[in-house]
Structures are given as structure tokens and as C-alpha cells.
Amino acid sequence: MEFKLTKEQEAITRMIREFAEKKLAPIATQIDRDAKIPPDIHPELRKLKLFGIPYDKKYGGGGESYIELVLVIEEVAKASAAVSVRLAAHYLAPISLSLYGTEEQKEQCLPKLCSGEDIGSLAFTEAATGSDPEAITTMAELSGDDYILNGSKRFITNAPLDGLAIIFAKTDNGVTAFIVNKNQPGYSTSKPWEMMGLRGGQVADIQLKDVRIPKANLLGPEGKGYRMLTELIAYGKLDMSACLLGIGGAALDEAIKYAKETTARGKPIANFQTIQWLVADIETQVEAARWLVYRLAYLASQGGDIRHQSALTKLFASEMATEVTSKALQVHGSYGYTKEFKIERLYRDARVGEIIEGVSEIQRVIIAASLLR
Amino acid sequence: MNIIVCLKQVPGTNDVRLDPETGSLIREGVPSIINPEDRNALEKALLLREEHGGNVVVISMGPPQAEVALRDALAIGADEAILLCDKAFAGADTLATSFTLGSAIKKLGHFDLVLCGTKTLDGNTGQVGPQLAELLDLPQITYARRVEIQGEILKAERVFEEGYELMETRLPALVTVTREINEPRIPSIDQIMQSYREKEVKTWGAAYLGLYEHSVGLDGSATKMSKIYKPEFGKGKVEFIEGSMEDMAQGLLAKLKERNLI
Ligand SMILES: Cc1cc2nc3c(=O)[nH]c(=O)nc-3n(C[C@H](O)[C@H](O)[C@@H](O)COP(=O)(O)OP(=O)(O)OC[C@H]3O[C@@H](n4cnc5c(N)ncnc54)[C@H](O)[C@@H]3O)c2cc1C
Ligand SMILES: Cc1cc2nc3c(=O)[nH]c(=O)nc-3n(C[C@H](O)[C@H](O)[C@H](O)COP(=O)(O)OP(=O)(O)OC[C@H]3O[C@@H](n4cnc5c(N)ncnc54)[C@H](O)[C@@H]3O)c2cc1C
């Protein structure tokens, strides 16, 4: 057992941190305010080859492990959680194809996804589904050699951005996943939701009106969509946990900076034991989450079932992020409640962790179910 | 065009902490980086290579862990990397550093241009570039914020506080650059991986360079550091004198006279 990064992993952290500090941090407030990531950011992310890190080299991926992936997400999230979530949501498409795609589907779809020319989405949630996947109403009906999709999806990240979406719909024998081109006739999206945090993430509803999908674009075994979803979302939880780790790390940095720079009666507030305890708690929680996240990345790289471990990692990482951003805000006092300070954004960005990729309550259900079966 | 870039690994922080007992730098927990201006020098070398073709060699004198800085440079795009590493090199002042770097550059043989940063984040003397030029008997241009090459001629803008000079020299030459000169590129994930897994960093020691131990490191240094300490910040009022260079100088003079300090 060795708890340390390799030299190349350290180099990735160093270089992506430099990129994030130079290119993302200066515009993070603007991204949050305008709920929009400026268009020149995407080509920069592509140049660094961030869209295909762990996928097979044969299809244009980086062929690296999930450790490299989470290190990248973590550093990006420290500067701008919105940008990190664009990446995290994207990865759900290439992982879907990597796990379930046929040779032809991989050859056709993965190179563009891995290069970032196509931006990925995964669309399961509907107005009624959320924690209850059986309530799915989007339909796929066979018509000759094609399926015709009708229905709508809610809160889908990256939905308005060009590329591919993996869309789940009801078929005769259950729920089935489809590869859908987001430029296809009949595919349209709502105005992005005005969100509390992760602003700029482009989360929108999808309307599907007679979207014609050739049989060749059916992904994985027909009717086995639920099972696929639980496996795919486990990777989503890994990526999301890395975002939350980045948010937590940023909160720690902000708390330390503020505590050292701000004085009360001529002395830095860092001299107060109350502040010291807050900072100590923040680091303790962030480090605990860090090693859960890195371990989950390691497990994912080994292959195998990560559903149980990803549930407990995301559960812990999300509660960590809401708690440490709250504590770091407390270190700032009233200033932390103003838009002048980064911690205000971090506090809002963190909150979604306990909701997306399955609410915390459902994570507890999953964990308990695997223990008490 | 063969370009040599000298780069130094430095602690990536301005908040240098010193061990109060020994006076030495506390490196633990402080990530090391390539000296920022040396990243600019490397970037300039890569841009010149893109324009004129050729080869970029990065060279650094430092402890074994300085290999990381050279690996980063290979990831960023350098063709070859050489680490000058030997127990005998330890404790070098700027003279011994320049001498060692110069010996390695002579060993490399043919080159058209040597690029350095102007100053480092830690030592901050700004002496290595000029000393190296003298040792190699090269024309030098320091503080360059713009460099271009036409045939055998190098043209540069040399900045100082109130303006800049246009300079010209024949190649080969040595130029030290400032951070203004360009924005250094960041390598992609696959470039980083390739550099660490597939590329080579050569290590040269004193014996390989044919150097005597008394001419390098602490023994080869003309200066000795007797004490190193962090200034304590005292309490008191700070006053900023603003305006043009002239106004500030006059203002300062007046203040000093007012207090009978001069
Ligand atoms: C805090 C501190 C204070 C010091 N004070 C002194 C002092 O007062 N007098 C003295 O003689 N020495 C001093 N030294 C030692 C001195 O820094 C080093 O001996 C010398 O290697 C580099 O000098 P510099 O960092 O000032 O480089 P600078 O002269 O500021 O560097 C200019 C450029 O030279 C190149 N370069 C410098 N060092 C290397 C290297 N090791 N390998 C490759 N390229 C390099 C880089 O391109 C760099 O940008 C000090 C060191 C430290 C850490
Ligand atoms: C920013 C953002 C981005 C998103 N991106 C995507 C995306 O890209 N793709 C996608 O498919 N979806 C996406 N979603 C949707 C998200 O995954 C769902 O919203 C989430 O799964 C929760 O579902 P819900 O909102 O319907 O909550 P509900 O399930 O309605 O939950 C409401 C409350 O009821 C409780 N509850 C519900 N059922 C149970 C139960 N069985 N047991 C105990 N408690 C229960 C919950 O704990 C919660 O407190 C995104 C959401 C957000 C906010």
C-alpha cells in the first residue's frame, strides 16, 4: 500500500493547477455571474487533452487511469466548479460507450468524444423520476429499422452543447439506452435552468419529438437500462466526488488565506483558537474525502463493480463539501456572505453534491442494501 | 538553430520559510517549480524552433530532485535535458554556478543561442546570465521583453524602468528574458505522461565535465553565505511617495532631509 502520487501524477496536478489558476480562476466570478463559460475555454481544455483521459487509446483516449482523471477534475474544480462539472458530465458519455458500446459504436463515437469535439451528456432524469427511476415516461417505439423517441428529460447537464447524449427511454421489454446526436432533428433543449450554484454548467431540459434513432444506435443490451444506469452513475459519482474534493480544497485555501490576512485588534484572526479549530476541521474532512476519492479512482481503474464504494464516497464527499464550505464561510464572517469573496460561490457550488448523481438518502439506501442484504 | 535554455528549480512560493536554527530553507511542503522566467525562456526557445527549426536543450544545475523540473520542460517541448548533479556542486554561489553551467555548455559544443531568465524567485541575484555570457565569451542582452532573429542577427527590446532599448547582436549570443516576453504554454496530459515515461534526462557530474572539485560548489565559490534570515516586520507607519520617478526621488529626498537623515 503506497499513499502517494507518482511523479507524473504530481506533474499533472502541477500543470493543471497552473492552467486553472491562470485561465479559469480569473474568470470564475464572471462564469458564475453570467452563468456562462466563455467559448474560448473549450478549445483550451481540448488542447490539454482533458476529454478522454481514461479511455482506450485505440479510440483516441489517453489510456490513463481514473487517478489521472480525478486529479484533473479536482484542480479544475478548485478554480471553477462549473468548468469541472462540464467535464464530469461529459465523461458519462465516453464511459457509457467504453463499457457497453459495440466495436462499431466505439470507433464511430469515441474519437470525437475523447478529443472534446463532441461534448457528452447522459440523460436519465425526468420530471417524475429523480430518485424513482421506474417512473420514466420517455418512450422508444420500433418503426422498421429505427426507434422513434418521444418524451422529455429534466436537468440534463451539457444538454444544449453539441455532441452526443446517452438517453434512456422505455422500450417493450424495459428501459433501454440510446446514442443520440444532439443536433438531430426533433432534439431540442429548454433555456438552461437558473441554478443556485455551478452556474455556467448549462443544465437544461431536453424535448424529444419523433427523434429517429437507427437500431445501430441502441447501446448495450435492450431492456437492461436500469442495471446499466446504476453502473454508469457509479462513474458519475466518482467524477462528482472529485469536483467536491476540489471545492473542499478551495474552501480550505480560502479559509487559511483569510485567517492569515485579516486582523482583529492588530493580530491575525488566525491567532484565535476558534478560527484554528475551524481550519483544522476543514483540513481533516478534506483529507478524509481525498483518500476515499483517490481509492475509488484506483478501484475504478482496476475494473469491477464500484457501485457500493462510489455511493459511500459521493455521500461522504458531498457532505464534506457542504460542511467545509460552511465552516470556511464562518471564518470569513459577514464578508463570506458577500459576493466579494470566493467562499460565497464555493458554498453555493458545494450544495448540489448532496443531490446530483442520486440524493444522499439514496446513497445511504444503496450502502445499507449492500451491507444488510 | 540550436538553443540552450538554462533553468533552475525553485520553491514555488514567495513565502520562503527558514529554519530558525540552521538558517536553511525549509523545503518540506513547498512544491518546487521551474523558475517562472525560465519558463518564458523555454517558451521563447520553442517559438524560435517553430519558426527556424532546430533543437532545444534544457540544462539545470541542482540536486537529484531537480530532474522533475527538466521532465516538465521535456513535457512542455524541449528536445533534450541535462541535469548537472554532483555532491561537489552543492553550495555554489553565482560564480560557481555559472562556471559549471558554462562548462556543460562548452561540452555540448555547437549552439546559436543561450537563453536564461533574468532572475530567479529564490536567489534573485540576476548574476548567472551575465556571468555565463562572460565565461562563454558571448555578446549578451539582458532584460529582453522581445526577441527576434533574422539570419545571423538577433534583435531585442531591453526593458528598464522608464523605457526600453533596441539592441542588436550577431549570433551566437546570450539573452536573459523577462516575464513580459510571452505566455508560457502548458503541456497536455499525454505530453506529461510521455516525458515522464519515455524521455531521458542525462545526468552529468564534475568528473564527466572534467572539472576539479575546488573549482565548483562551495569550494569554487568566491562568496560565502555567513547568515541567512527573514526580516522581521516591525510596526510603524508606512508612507508611499507617488508620482513620476523624478517626483518620487524629490519626495524621498525631502523626507530624508526633513528628518536630518542626510
Ligand atoms: C535565498 C538565497 C540567497 C542567495 N544569495 C546569494 C548571493 O547573495 N550571492 C551568491 O553568489 N549566491 C547566492 N545564492 C546562491 C545562488 O542563488 C545560486 O548559487 C545560483 O545557483 C543561482 O543564483 P540565482 O538563483 O540568484 O540566479 P539568477 O542569477 O537570479 O538567475 C538568472 C538565470 O540564470 C539561470 N540559472 C540560475 N541558476 C541556475 C541553475 N542552478 N541551473 C540552471 N540555470 C540557472 C536561470 O536561467 C535563471 O533565470 C543565494 C541562494 C538563495 C536560495
Ligand atoms: C445541477 C444538476 C445537474 C444535473 N445533471 C443531470 C444529468 O446530467 N443527467 C441526469 O439524468 N440528471 C441530472 N440531474 C438530475 C439529478 O440527478 C436528480 O435531480 C437527482 O437524482 C435527484 O432527483 P430529484 O430531483 O427528482 O429528487 P427527488 O427524488 O424528487 O427527491 C426529493 C427528496 O425526496 C427524497 N426521496 C425521494 N425518494 C426517496 C426514497 N425512495 N427514499 C428516501 N428518500 C427519498 C430525497 O431524498 C429528496 O430529499 C441534475 C440535477 C442538478 C441539480
Side-chain angles (χ1 to χ4, degrees):
Chain A
M1 193 183 286
E2 221 179 325
F3 284 95
K4 71 179 213 253
L5 299 177
T6 64
K7 287 218 156 55
E8 49 266 45
Q9 287 163 350
E10 283 175 351
I12 287 182
T13 296
R14 190 162 56 242
M15 291 300 174
I16 300 302
R17 180 174 301 164
E18 181 182 325
F19 165 76
E21 284 174 357
K22 269 195 195 154
K23 298 283 168 132
L24 303 178
I27 56 165
T29 308
Q30 176 201 327
I31 292 176
D32 178 62
R33 187 190 58 224
D34 303 347
K36 200 162 179 252
I37 299 172
D40 54 328
I41 292 301
H42 192 76
E44 303 255 7
L45 302 173
R46 287 186 65 182
K47 244 187 356 214
L48 297 175
K49 302 223 161 53
L50 302 191
F51 287 90
I53 298 165
Y55 313 109
D56 199 338
K57 271 202 160 120
K58 194 170 149 199
Y59 309 110
E64 301 303 339
S65 81
Y66 283 90
I67 314 252
E68 282 78 31
L69 184 78
V70 300
L71 294 174
V72 166
I73 300 175
E74 179 188 349
E75 289 307 323
V76 170
K78 269 189 191 163
S80 166
V83 175
S84 76
V85 166
R86 169 174 300 184
L87 289 170
H90 159 84
Y91 296 133
L92 283 165
I95 186 63
S96 302
L97 283 146
S98 299
L99 291 183
Y100 298 106
T102 62
E103 191 59 30
E104 295 77 54
Q105 288 172 336
K106 288 181 186 170
E107 274 173 10
Q108 216 197 338
C109 305
L110 276 174
K112 282 186 176 177
L113 284 168
C114 289
S115 76
E117 184 180 340
D118 277 352
I119 302 179
S121 295
L122 182 138
F124 188 89
T125 307
E126 297 181 2
T129 61
S131 307
D132 178 15
E134 313 228 338
I136 186 169
T137 60
T138 296
M139 296 291 291
E141 275 172 311
L142 196 57
S143 152
D145 275 344
D146 296 335
Y147 282 92
I148 310 291
L149 266 60
N150 276 295
S152 64
K153 294 286 171 185
R154 173 135 298 170
F155 297 142
I156 307 304
T157 311
N158 293 345
L161 305 175
D162 286 354
L164 290 185
I166 308 300
I167 296 186
F168 290 81
K170 242 180 163 156
T171 45
D172 285 345
N173 44 3
V175 169
T176 301
F178 295 90
I179 306 166
V180 179
N181 187 324
K182 291 191 260 180
N183 281 322
Q184 203 157 320
Y187 176 102
S188 64
T189 56
S190 68
K191 227 177 87 205
W193 285 86
E194 276 289 334
M195 294 282 182
M196 165 181 170
L198 296 185
R199 294 169 53 77
Q202 303 279 308
V203 179
D205 294 350
I206 299 175
Q207 280 84 44
L208 301 161
K209 194 161 184 315
D210 296 330
V211 177
R212 190 169 276 275
I213 308 289
K215 255 188 187 162
N217 282 9
L218 190 153
L219 182 68
E222 192 177 350
K224 295 279 183 270
Y226 287 144
R227 162 86 201 188
M228 287 166 63
L229 181 72
T230 60
E231 282 177 357
L232 292 171
I233 221 80
Y235 287 87
K237 289 173 196 174
L238 169 61
D239 301 342
M240 196 57 216
S241 300
C243 296
L244 294 161
L245 175 59
I247 293 172
L252 176 62
D253 292 346
E254 292 306 300
I256 292 173
K257 196 164 88 192
Y258 192 85
K260 282 185 170 176
E261 285 174 1
T262 310
T263 53
R265 295 197 200 137
K267 293 224 179 275
I269 59 166
N271 285 9
F272 295 127
Q273 196 179 49
T274 47
I275 298 293
Q276 293 166 4
W277 285 28
L278 282 168
V279 172
D281 281 352
I282 295 170
E283 193 198 14
T284 305
Q285 284 178 279
V286 171
E287 284 307 299
R290 172 184 315 285
W291 296 102
L292 272 180
V293 175
Y294 290 179
R295 185 193 62 140
L296 180 60
Y298 166 80
L299 293 174
S301 308
Q302 303 297 301
D305 190 347
I306 56 165
R307 286 178 295 177
H308 177 187
Q309 299 303 325
S310 71
L312 68 82
T313 301
K314 209 265 311 191
L315 173 63
F316 188 85
S318 59
E319 294 186 349
M320 173 281 290
T322 43
E323 284 168 25
V324 306
T325 51
S326 173
K327 285 174 183 162
L329 196 152
Q330 195 67 17
V331 169
H332 287 67
S334 294
Y335 290 107
Y337 197 65
T338 69
K339 297 222 178 264
E340 299 292 307
F341 285 84
K342 181 176 172 183
I343 192 61
E344 183 270 345
R345 170 165 54 85
L346 293 171
Y347 180 78
R348 286 183 287 109
D349 285 344
R351 188 59 183 83
V352 83
E354 293 181 52
I355 299 166
I356 49 175
E357 315 284 6
V359 292
S360 288
E361 293 75 7
I362 297 296
Q363 306 314 317
R364 290 190 162 86
V365 170
I366 295 170
I367 298 162
S370 22
L371 293 175
L372 304 174
R373 231 190 329 236
Chain B
M1 168 137 333
N2 289 325
I3 305 171
I4 295 168
V5 178
C6 296
L7 59 86
K8 183 182 182 186
Q9 189 185 46
V10 296
T13 171
N14 292 326
D15 185 22
V16 181
R17 285 181 305 155
L18 299 171
D19 185 321
E21 304 264 295
T22 63
S24 59
L25 229 57
I26 299 174
R27 294 209 168 252
E28 201 205 320
V30 181
S32 292
I33 58 167
I34 297 176
N35 180 49
E37 283 179 352
D38 304 355
R39 282 284 294 278
N40 297 96
L42 175 58
E43 178 66 27
K44 187 67 219 177
L46 299 175
L47 292 170
L48 287 169
R49 184 185 67 187
E50 280 159 22
E51 200 182 328
H52 303 281
N55 198 45
V56 174
V57 182
V58 284
I59 162 169
S60 185
M61 185 184 89
Q65 57 271 30
E67 181 187 329
V68 168
L70 291 171
R71 294 248 171 235
D72 283 358
L74 287 170
I76 292 165
D79 298 294
E80 281 176 62
I82 297 162
L83 177 63
L84 308 177
C85 185
D86 195 312
K87 280 210 173 70
F89 296 158
D93 69 354
T94 60
L95 185 69
T97 301
S98 311
F99 178 70
T100 308
L101 288 171
S103 307
I105 291 173
K106 282 180 188 157
K107 182 111 191 161
L108 276 169
H110 175 75
F111 61 88
D112 302 287
L113 179 62
V114 179
L115 288 173
C116 292
T118 297
K119 284 180 181 170
T120 57
L121 272 190
D122 59 348
N124 197 30
T125 65
Q127 293 172 4
V128 171
Q131 286 176 355
L132 195 53
E134 290 302 313
L135 282 164
L136 295 169
D137 205 12
L138 292 174
Q140 56 175 297
I141 299 175
T142 51
Y143 294 90
R145 70 166 185 199
R146 213 170 62 83
V147 170
E148 61 181 75
I149 290 175
Q150 291 162 354
E152 288 295 293
I153 303 293
L154 181 145
K155 294 184 178 177
E157 268 178 36
R158 180 173 187 276
V159 265
F160 47 95
E161 279 179 51
E162 298 266 273
Y164 64 90
E165 295 170 335
L166 287 173
M167 313 274 286
E168 234 182 73
T169 174
R170 287 198 152 278
L171 294 176
L174 182 145
V175 177
T176 76
V177 305
T178 65
R179 289 181 84 163
E180 281 172 89
I181 192 169
N182 53 38
E183 190 185 301
R185 70 192 71 183
I186 293 169
S188 65
I189 303 291
D190 57 335
Q191 286 172 317
I192 295 170
M193 289 307 191
Q194 247 173 33
S195 161
Y196 278 82
R197 286 180 190 153
E198 292 161 24
K199 299 209 172 156
E200 189 199 359
V201 172
K202 292 189 196 112
T203 303
W204 292 359
Y208 182 81
L209 290 171
L211 299 177
Y212 296 109
E213 300 215 343
H214 67 254
S215 59
V216 296
L218 197 59
D219 288 347
S221 293
T223 54
K224 299 276 179 290
M225 186 144 46
S226 54
K227 187 177 176 210
I228 183 164
Y229 62 96
K230 195 173 173 174
E232 290 289 328
F233 289 105
K235 276 192 192 159
K237 246 175 63 194
V238 177
E239 202 179 325
F240 285 95
I241 304 171
E242 301 195 16
S244 69
M245 195 73 83
E246 183 75 28
D247 295 344
M248 289 191 286
Q250 291 296 348
L252 180 61
L253 208 59
K255 292 272 170 207
L256 292 173
K257 278 188 179 149
E258 195 182 293
R259 296 191 192 177
N260 292 324
L261 288 168
I262 48 172

